Amino acid sequence: MNNIKANDYLNVVVQALAHVPPLRNFFLLEDFSTRPQLPQRFSTLVRKIWNPRAFKSHVSPHELIQEISLRSSKKFLLTSQADPIEFLSWFLNHLHLSLGGSKTKPQTSLIQKTFQGSLRVESQTITAHADVTDRLRFEGNPDTIRSQTSPFLILTLDLPPAPLFQDGVEAKNIIPQIPLTKVLEKYNGIATQERLNTRMRYRLLAPLPPFLIMHVKRFQPNKFLGSQRNPTIVTFHPRGLDMRPFVERPEGEQEGQQEPLLYDLVANITYEGVKVRDDSVEGEAERKVWKAQVREGGATKGPGGEGGHGGPQWWEMQDLFVDRTNGELLSTKESYIMVWERRRKGSGKGGGGKSG
């Protein structure tokens, strides 16, 4: 896909969404001639991507970007790079509304039916008390616990802070790592997060959506650098992510009675920081490079292993550059946005398509 100037942030999101089977099939097969311009132009682009008889091996998102620029009041342009997660949030919400979705009722468009889930948010006020030794203790007041159910399209995953000071050259070269299941513990209903004087807990509610979008929160505001990146690598296997431990159990049901709730990776958007100059010092602004890793074929493992005959094949895309990649090595990159597909019951296969 052409990067006209600085629209790589849009290219990776479009590639990821174009490889979500229900979304892809809908925009390939439906007639959008009477629909608003946004879904109409997105449908045209998806058809170009999946056209096996295309004269050119690349497509241009120019028409879609023009409409997006107009609809977003020039927040998203082809001449300036934007954050893919901000664009994805905006794009999904506006596609939802353009397809006749409701602002208040859930599950009113294909976008919500594909990606929307719900979670329980529990908040508790924290108060400070002095104990007998005059030490300040922060305790939660059980009378102030509030619980509410909130819908989501994207799950935000918080990374632990990167170490500030590292001794020796070898320590500086070590990139911190954390398993995806560890980061997902934010949603187990036990782990807490403190915001000002409030303690928060999160728990996913059943049923989970057919596709889960996860955002690894890598960038934090920094008054000196604008934003500061957390380089922690999130490790995962692209097949068989069990989300059952993070979903609230029905009352009376014991732990371990339910079957695993397995998800397989469909698309992975990664970040890569490239130094603007060879003599750039550490902490200096980097040029952001976004890449999309997408799955071709089903989610089962073929006789030849990952990417073998009958199994999934992974491709890494950066604008016009497309390279085959090993599914086992996907988590060696700095994942930023991941799309996971729920595995159907009684089937080891996902619903990945095959591009022409």
Side-chain angles (χ1 to χ4, degrees):
M1 192 178 294
N2 281 344
N3 184 357
I4 301 169
K5 187 170 183 182
N7 56 279
D8 56 341
Y9 71 93
L10 178 142
N11 291 355
V12 292
V13 169
V14 169
Q15 287 286 7
L17 294 179
H19 283 78
V20 174
L23 212 63
R24 175 200 65 200
N25 296 342
F26 178 73
F27 282 99
L28 279 176
L29 302 175
E30 288 290 318
D31 179 14
F32 289 90
S33 57
T34 58
R35 300 289 187 101
Q37 282 294 310
L38 186 65
Q40 193 175 129
R41 296 193 184 191
F42 181 59
S43 171
T44 301
L45 184 57
V46 171
R47 293 178 188 191
K48 288 179 180 178
I49 291 173
W50 287 97
N51 183 6
R53 300 181 182 86
F55 178 71
K56 294 181 179 179
S57 60
H58 58 87
V59 296
S60 174
H62 182 71
E63 292 181 355
L64 177 63
I65 296 176
Q66 282 184 321
E67 179 63 20
I68 288 170
S69 175
L70 183 66
R71 291 282 295 271
S72 66
S73 301
K74 297 188 177 181
K75 181 180 180 180
F76 302 108
L77 301 167
L78 60 84
T79 54
S80 59
Q81 205 174 47
D83 190 330
I85 193 63
E86 290 183 8
F87 170 68
L88 176 61
S89 301
W90 180 93
F91 191 53
L92 289 179
N93 280 306
H94 280 74
L95 269 183
H96 162 70
L97 295 174
S98 298
L99 294 173
S102 168
K103 289 185 177 181
T104 55
K105 295 180 181 178
Q107 306 294 317
T108 52
S109 76
L110 180 74
I111 301 298
Q112 290 186 341
K113 290 176 182 177
T114 304
F115 298 115
Q116 190 179 65
S118 58
L119 54 84
R120 179 167 51 80
V121 182
E122 193 177 273
S123 58
Q124 182 181 20
T125 303
I126 303 172
T127 54
H129 299 282
D131 60 13
V132 291
T133 60
D134 283 340
R135 289 183 178 178
L136 205 59
R137 297 173 62 89
F138 295 91
E139 298 176 350
N141 186 347
D143 297 329
T144 61
I145 296 178
R146 297 184 302 275
S147 181
Q148 65 179 27
T149 300
S150 177
F152 70 85
L153 285 176
I154 300 171
L155 285 178
T156 301
L157 307 180
D158 301 310
L159 294 175
L164 290 177
F165 304 103
Q166 297 173 323
D167 298 328
V169 177
E170 290 186 6
K172 287 186 177 181
N173 292 331
I174 296 175
I175 301 174
Q177 299 184 10
I178 187 169
L180 177 58
T181 50
K182 185 71 176 176
V183 183
L184 280 167
E185 287 180 0
K186 169 184 177 180
Y187 297 100
N188 64 7
I190 301 172
T192 61
Q193 290 189 339
E194 294 185 3
R195 296 182 180 177
L196 299 177
N197 66 333
T198 306
R199 182 175 292 157
M200 312 287 292
R201 290 187 182 90
Y202 304 92
R203 184 70 158 170
L204 298 178
L205 300 177
L208 288 184
F211 289 81
L212 277 174
I213 301 177
M214 300 180 186
H215 164 224
V216 181
K217 194 174 180 181
R218 291 200 172 275
F219 298 96
Q220 297 289 347
N222 185 297
K223 63 180 180 180
F224 300 108
L225 301 174
S227 67
Q228 188 169 8
R229 174 176 61 95
N230 188 326
T232 302
I233 296 292
V234 178
T235 59
F236 58 87
H237 193 279
R239 297 174 56 253
L241 172 66
D242 187 9
M243 293 296 296
R244 181 64 67 191
F246 315 108
V247 180
E248 191 168 68
R249 294 193 305 272
E251 289 186 14
E253 192 168 85
Q254 299 296 321
E255 187 174 357
Q257 287 184 345
Q258 292 179 301
E259 295 180 358
L261 188 58
L262 301 180
Y263 277 77
D264 299 308
L265 190 66
V266 173
N268 184 36
I269 295 175
T270 64
Y271 168 85
E272 185 178 329
V274 178
K275 290 184 177 181
V276 180
R277 303 193 315 270
D278 292 338
D279 59 346
S280 296
V281 297
E282 189 174 351
E284 193 171 338
E286 298 174 322
R287 181 170 63 88
K288 296 178 179 178
V289 175
W290 302 103
K291 297 181 181 180
Q293 298 169 330
V294 297
R295 189 186 78 201
E296 175 192 0
T300 53
K301 191 170 183 178
E306 189 76 29
H309 179 69
Q313 177 61 62
W314 285 91
W315 298 90
E316 185 174 75
M317 303 180 182
Q318 181 195 352
D319 302 328
L320 295 176
F321 300 96
V322 180
D323 292 308
R324 183 175 292 186
T325 188
N326 190 331
E328 303 289 342
L329 302 178
L330 297 179
S331 64
T332 59
K333 303 289 183 71
E334 292 185 29
S335 296
Y336 191 60
I337 300 172
M338 294 181 280
V339 183
W340 295 82
E341 178 186 15
R342 188 177 64 207
R343 194 177 292 181
R344 293 189 294 271
K345 285 186 178 181
S347 171
K349 293 186 178 182
K354 194 168 184 177
S355 62

